[in-house]
Amino acid sequence: MFLKKNNFSSTEEITGWGLYPRFNVLKKNPKNIDELTEAAKTPSLIARGNGRSYGDSSINKVNTIDMKNFNRFLHFDESEGLLVAEAGVLLKDVIDTFLPRGWFPSVTPGTKYVTIGGMVAANVHGKNHKNSGSFGNYVHWIEIINIDGEIVRCSRNENSDLFFWTLGGMGLTGIILNVAFFLKSVKTAWIKETTLVAKNISEAFRFFEDNLNSPYSVAWIDCYTKGKSLGRSLVMLGEHAKINEIDFKNKSNPLKSPKKRRISIPFYFPPFILTKFNVRIFNFFYFLNGRIGRRTKLVEWDTFFYPLDKISNWNKIYGKKGFAQFQCVIPLTNSKKAITELLNCISNSKSFSFLAVLKRFGTETSYFSFPMEGYSLALDFPINSNNLLLMKVLDEITVKYGGRFYLAKDSRIKKNIFEKSDNRISEFRKYRQNKIQKKFSSIQSDRLNL
Amino acid sequence: MRKNVLLVLGASSDIGMSVAKKFAQEGFDIQLAGRNSYNLENHCTDLGIRYKVNANFYELDALDFNSHEKFVRSLPILPNVVVSCIGLLGDQSESELKIKKNVTVIRTNFEGVVSLFSIFANYFIDRGNGTLIGISSVAGDRGRASNYIYGSAKAGLNAFLSGLRNRLFSYGVNVLTVKPGYVTTKMTSGLKLPKALTTNPEKVAYCIYKAYKNKKDVLYVLPIWKFIMIFIILIPESIFKKMQL
Ligand SMILES: Cc1cc2nc3c(=O)[nH]c(=O)nc-3n(C[C@H](O)[C@H](O)[C@H](O)COP(=O)(O)OP(=O)(O)OC[C@H]3O[C@@H](n4cnc5c(N)ncnc54)[C@H](O)[C@@H]3O)c2cc1C
Ligand SMILES: NC(=O)c1ccc[n+]([C@@H]2O[C@H](COP(=O)([O-])OP(=O)(O)OC[C@H]3O[C@@H](n4cnc5c(N)ncnc54)[C@H](OP(=O)(O)O)[C@@H]3O)[C@@H](O)[C@H]2O)c1
């Protein structure tokens, strides 16, 4: 019962969602604007949201500023769905509050446990990037604590450079304090989901291109098939269901979501649990399910957008050593070739991947965000020397085809590879030169010399 | 029908905010009272948007005893439920050196709440209903070397709440004593809390609402604390004094 007290800053071990790498850092949890501006006075710092980036994006050794206490809604305009929220608000809270009133995020990542600040800083994409672009498209303005400790507002018309570098700028332009963004109007809490079973990667690509009008699309790929069935996948299409499309029993309350329980994993799984064998069984059942399930069905929003959120800390299944996600995007002209090569490389390797996700991106307008028109492939790998090597090979293939990497998922890319992958880096460096670069920095930005 | 109203004393507290949210979700209008008005204003806006309830904030210093009667009279509506989240943990080692700080810990946790609750008690008696919820602590169950200043203030609060409950019962006014155990809030940030004995503000709020509905008297949020404290209370003083607790 001896508890030692240490005021509002403390050293603790933190990691990204991938639990790799781990760092002992000084973290601050400011409660109000005074404490925040005080905390922002140190020479080097990074803001942290809910730590759902995989690696070291939101970690600074001497001053990691946790923004989760800034979690209040400040304004909502019912007529156009414009919400003003503090940066630490969780996307989950946005949905819980506004879906019952007919509003849904215009763009959402694959988990609702992210903060609005994190969504802006990574300029996140969803399954609708091809038509709707990134989250930044719906951001009206941002208030940010800049290098001088002042709160400035930026938007497309006001301090626009700061605005466009902040979208996708990974916290490296300042501390995002408040964000005004548009939600989109929906009629029900349900998604009309159509599942297509693709025999191989070519067919998967065809399904994507044939269904560009479908608002949402994503494919889950079985990484263990080879040859003619390489890239066997389930392509899932979705659209928000209209009132006359949902079941009779839900019609009386079309925006209500059924209550669900979250399962949590009580401990780190030992490494043998997740063997290649098990993953295969998992994939087999997954595909069986895809085959026998009705091709078009109604699912509630949570199942469609956030299947992984059902298990609160699924990152522990990869064991104590953690895991890394490889996510790249390949320009459209090279997509098929490059992704086939990537999949070949993975299926021939000894490693196994639990998740392989393919998405179609449209064009991107902000300065430094990840997406570009083409296809994005994402896979998780438990950390071990084989997999680290394999990911290096995947890096090379990506660069060869003109692709680039998602910083929010990265924990291990080498500087020289990153530089080869993205010719916008020099512009970003120029913007950050001198003052900003020293002030706002993460372990990741130091590693990549951003 | 007019909505029920919850007043939170010490509203910038993390537990207090969670309680406000829970009650707002259940349809209560909310009054927040505390020292930190910047935060309280944003909290009110947030509650209004989230739950479509009326939420207002008021300045209140628990140590400014002379202002309390005026504060209560200034409320536009006498609340149905008052929850006090006022608390100050202090630093035991520092407290031992600085007598003045001891006094502040005692006055904040004990006298401040006593003063405010006594006023509300009278108003509630007149009205013939109401609920007073005092957040106390398991630390008040037995004085231990590691935090007996805070603990003794909470012990005082426990006795006060129990007496008040006894007095108010026949008037239809309920008093709930809450002993949360460890909770992850700003009060405990930087402390290494044992996981099994620690809960979060949302859970505390949920349990408080349930206990309020069921007109409970004493609430241990984590049942395990009840057993721990029963055990600790049973240890004979001659042995207890030699233990490092
Ligand atoms: C299961 C899962 C699925 C995912 N799916 C997707 C997906 O489909 N699409 C996608 O785009 N991403 C996806 N992600 C990644 C995730 O959306 C991003 O990493 C997001 O940035 C995480 O937000 P966070 O609040 O947890 O921020 P953190 O991880 O804490 O921080 C991420 C970055 O944002 C910065 N940041 C956070 N808050 C602030 C602030 N207030 N001011 C300035 N900078 C700030 C940090 O400095 C850091 O650079 C997924 C992640 C997981 C775990
Ligand atoms: N966290 C735990 O583990 C734990 C365990 C058992 C019991 N408790 C009790 O739970 C209650 C809530 O605490 P918490 O954990 O939510 O911590 P907290 O956030 O520190 O809350 C304490 C609150 O008391 C307020 N306060 C202190 N002195 C005041 C004064 N003179 N006038 C008005 N308000 C004053 C503080 O206001 P300012 O913001 O203005 O300082 C703060 O809002 C407290 O009674 C605490 O003792 C907590």
Side-chain angles (χ1 to χ4, degrees):
Chain A
M1 293 212 183
F2 264 130
L3 300 172
K4 265 244 158 308
K5 179 93 184 162
N6 205 330
N7 246 351
F8 78 106
S9 118
S10 56
T11 52
E12 57 183 77
E13 188 188 74
I14 55 175
T15 70
W17 183 245
L19 305 173
Y20 167 89
R22 293 170 185 261
F23 297 98
N24 261 313
V25 305
L26 269 169
K27 189 155 152 272
K28 291 191 179 139
N29 304 294
K31 277 281 287 185
N32 55 40
I33 192 72
D34 296 338
E35 287 179 11
L36 178 60
T37 37
E38 191 55 39
K41 281 185 183 148
T42 56
S44 164
L45 63 92
I46 195 75
R48 181 173 173 88
N50 204 28
R52 252 38 178 200
S53 53
Y54 276 59
D56 44 7
S57 314
S58 58
I59 305 177
N60 175 303
K61 279 216 167 131
V62 292
N63 192 3
T64 299
I65 300 184
D66 189 321
M67 292 296 290
K68 284 209 296 294
N69 286 325
F70 294 82
N71 59 359
R72 288 155 303 198
F73 297 130
L74 302 179
H75 187 72
F76 184 60
D77 181 337
E78 302 254 4
S79 64
E80 45 178 5
L82 181 66
L83 176 63
V84 181
E86 291 182 324
V89 163
L90 286 181
L91 186 61
K92 173 183 187 296
D93 283 1
V94 174
I95 299 171
D96 286 350
T97 306
F98 296 102
L99 180 57
R101 303 179 205 175
W103 299 97
F104 197 75
S106 305
V107 165
T108 169
T111 170
K112 56 189 179 295
Y113 295 95
V114 292
T115 65
I116 303 304
M119 290 173 73
V120 170
N123 200 9
V124 296
H125 59 268
K127 300 173 183 177
N128 57 352
H129 191 277
K130 57 190 174 359
N131 315 314
S132 305
S134 302
F135 183 67
N137 284 4
Y138 306 89
V139 174
H140 192 42
W141 51 256
I142 303 168
E143 274 167 355
I144 196 166
I145 300 184
N146 72 4
I147 178 90
D148 303 312
E150 293 158 352
I151 301 174
V152 289
R153 186 180 281 205
C154 61
S155 68
R156 284 171 187 78
N157 317 315
E158 189 180 358
N159 299 313
S160 62
D161 254 6
L162 178 60
F163 181 77
F164 284 114
W165 283 122
T166 296
L167 296 176
M170 300 307 288
L172 301 172
T173 59
I175 303 175
I176 300 163
L177 190 60
N178 298 317
V179 182
F181 59 103
F182 291 99
L183 301 174
K184 73 172 170 193
S185 154
V186 294
K187 295 286 174 253
T188 72
W190 298 83
I191 301 291
K192 220 167 77 183
E193 181 190 65
T194 303
T195 306
L196 309 166
V197 182
K199 287 199 290 289
N200 53 37
I201 191 68
S202 301
E203 198 169 54
F205 274 106
R206 189 159 58 72
F207 288 159
F208 270 108
E209 294 301 318
D210 288 349
N211 290 287
L212 285 179
N213 289 333
S214 170
Y216 299 101
S217 58
V218 65
W220 292 59
I221 300 181
D222 176 353
C223 299
Y224 289 97
T225 47
K226 295 187 184 183
K228 272 208 315 224
S229 9
L230 181 83
R232 177 173 73 146
S233 36
L234 298 180
V235 180
M236 265 106 51
L237 311 173
E239 58 187 285
H240 293 277
K242 299 187 197 77
I243 293 202
N244 58 13
E245 291 171 331
I246 64 175
D247 306 349
F248 180 72
K249 70 175 185 335
N250 295 311
K251 244 180 203 154
S252 58
N253 207 341
L255 292 162
K256 192 173 156 203
S257 335
K259 270 224 158 56
K260 291 237 167 111
R261 284 193 54 193
R262 270 177 103 197
I263 312 161
S264 88
I265 294 179
F267 47 78
Y268 291 104
F269 277 22
F272 61 83
I273 299 265
L274 205 74
T275 60
K276 196 160 177 164
F277 176 70
N278 283 317
V279 174
R280 282 194 186 197
I281 300 230
F282 165 83
N283 282 354
F284 174 77
F285 278 110
Y286 197 81
F287 276 87
L288 200 66
N289 183 30
R291 258 179 225 281
I292 58 180
R294 267 192 302 157
R295 280 167 74 87
T296 296
K297 60 179 180 189
L298 279 173
V299 292
E300 34 110 27
W301 60 276
D302 213 7
T303 307
F304 183 78
F305 290 105
Y306 313 109
L308 293 170
D309 285 349
K310 296 211 160 108
I311 306 170
S312 64
N313 43 5
W314 61 261
N315 52 350
K316 284 190 181 168
I317 63 175
Y318 289 98
K320 258 207 157 100
K321 277 191 178 166
F323 62 108
Q325 182 164 99
F326 171 86
Q327 183 169 10
C328 68
V329 56
I330 309 283
L332 195 55
T333 43
N334 292 340
S335 289
K336 202 161 154 185
K337 202 160 165 215
I339 284 171
T340 309
E341 197 168 322
L342 289 166
L343 288 175
N344 256 320
C345 188
I346 295 158
S347 71
N348 288 329
S349 75
K350 286 205 179 60
S351 51
F352 53 87
S353 177
F354 198 49
L355 279 176
V357 177
L358 187 67
K359 286 182 204 141
R360 171 75 154 83
F361 285 173
T363 49
E364 177 57 44
T365 49
S366 70
Y367 294 175
F368 196 58
S369 304
F370 163 62
M372 65 165 103
E373 175 147 42
Y375 279 84
S376 159
L377 185 74
L379 317 92
D380 290 347
F381 294 102
I383 297 292
N384 61 41
S385 50
N386 276 343
N387 285 346
L388 286 168
L389 264 174
L390 171 67
M391 283 187 275
K392 276 191 183 162
V393 179
L394 304 180
D395 293 347
E396 298 283 352
I397 299 173
T398 304
V399 169
K400 185 169 83 188
Y401 288 102
R404 64 186 181 223
F405 307 100
Y406 193 10
L407 288 175
K409 303 289 177 69
D410 161 55
S411 54
R412 39 129 229 125
I413 289 175
K414 294 278 176 290
K415 185 172 126 234
N416 65 325
I417 289 283
F418 189 65
E419 281 169 342
K420 277 195 232 163
S421 75
D422 202 330
N423 55 21
R424 304 168 304 175
I425 293 172
S426 55
E427 281 298 304
F428 192 43
R429 282 182 182 153
K430 215 187 280 163
Y431 179 76
R432 278 172 42 78
Q433 231 168 21
N434 306 324
K435 280 203 326 189
I436 305 187
Q437 189 173 19
K438 292 211 185 73
K439 175 95 182 180
F440 302 112
S441 65
S442 57
I443 293 178
Q444 180 177 57
S445 76
D446 289 346
R447 174 164 53 85
L448 301 172
N449 187 27
L450 282 173
Chain B
M1 203 182 75
R2 216 200 66 208
K3 275 188 182 169
N4 283 330
V5 177
L6 168 79
L7 165 65
V8 185
L9 306 172
S12 55
S13 127
D14 291 333
I15 294 177
M17 265 332 291
S18 295
V19 173
K21 281 184 174 168
K22 178 65 191 162
F23 277 72
Q25 196 178 25
E26 301 292 340
F28 277 69
D29 280 338
I30 305 294
Q31 300 169 336
L32 302 180
R35 293 189 295 193
N36 189 334
S37 51
Y38 167 86
N39 260 351
L40 296 188
E41 183 169 0
N42 280 357
H43 279 314
C44 285
T45 313
D46 181 76
L47 290 169
I49 296 173
R50 242 177 242 255
Y51 306 108
K52 297 196 163 173
V53 297
N54 290 313
N56 294 295
F57 65 98
Y58 307 90
E59 282 288 331
L60 169 70
D61 184 345
L63 295 176
D64 184 3
F65 301 105
N66 288 329
S67 70
H68 290 173
E69 178 73 43
K70 197 167 143 229
F71 158 74
V72 177
R73 262 188 282 119
S74 75
L75 294 172
I77 299 169
L78 185 65
N80 305 80
V81 181
V82 180
V83 55
S84 164
C85 297
I86 295 164
L88 181 63
L89 186 55
D91 182 328
Q92 183 69 38
S93 52
E94 194 178 53
S95 302
E96 277 161 15
L97 301 173
K98 301 202 175 127
I99 310 293
K100 259 205 168 134
K101 289 206 169 158
N102 286 352
V103 173
T104 312
V105 170
I106 301 278
R107 301 188 95 190
T108 306
N109 288 298
F110 182 53
E111 292 180 28
V113 185
V114 168
S115 165
L116 286 155
F117 271 20
S118 301
I119 298 169
F120 280 110
N122 291 339
Y123 280 97
F124 285 5
I125 287 176
D126 286 348
R127 191 177 58 189
N129 63 52
T131 301
L132 293 165
I133 303 173
I135 306 202
S136 187
S137 172
V138 297
D141 289 358
R142 189 163 194 178
R144 287 172 288 115
S146 55
N147 71 346
Y148 64 90
I149 301 296
Y150 173 79
S152 58
K154 291 295 195 187
L157 183 61
N158 288 345
F160 168 75
L161 292 171
S162 147
L164 194 64
R165 177 179 309 118
N166 199 199
R167 171 182 156 217
L168 298 183
F169 176 73
S170 55
Y171 297 98
V173 179
N174 293 306
V175 178
L176 169 64
T177 307
V178 183
K179 301 180 182 178
Y182 296 136
V183 191
T184 48
T185 66
K186 87 174 167 204
M187 183 176 276
T188 52
S189 83
L191 299 179
K192 288 223 176 321
L193 302 175
K195 251 203 169 131
L197 302 179
T198 305
T199 181
N200 56 43
E202 292 75 31
K203 175 85 196 289
V204 176
Y206 172 84
C207 293
I208 287 180
Y209 183 77
K210 221 170 83 182
Y212 152 73
K213 286 300 265 186
N214 295 332
K215 304 203 165 146
K216 263 188 94 153
D217 302 320
V218 180
L219 167 68
Y220 282 85
V221 173
L222 288 180
I224 182 161
W225 273 107
K226 190 167 179 175
F227 296 108
I228 293 177
M229 294 324 292
I230 287 175
F231 174 73
I232 287 185
I233 290 166
L234 284 176
I235 303 172
E237 192 68 21
S238 56
I239 300 173
F240 191 74
K241 72 180 179 195
K242 295 176 193 149
M243 296 168 76
Q244 287 283 323
L245 284 166

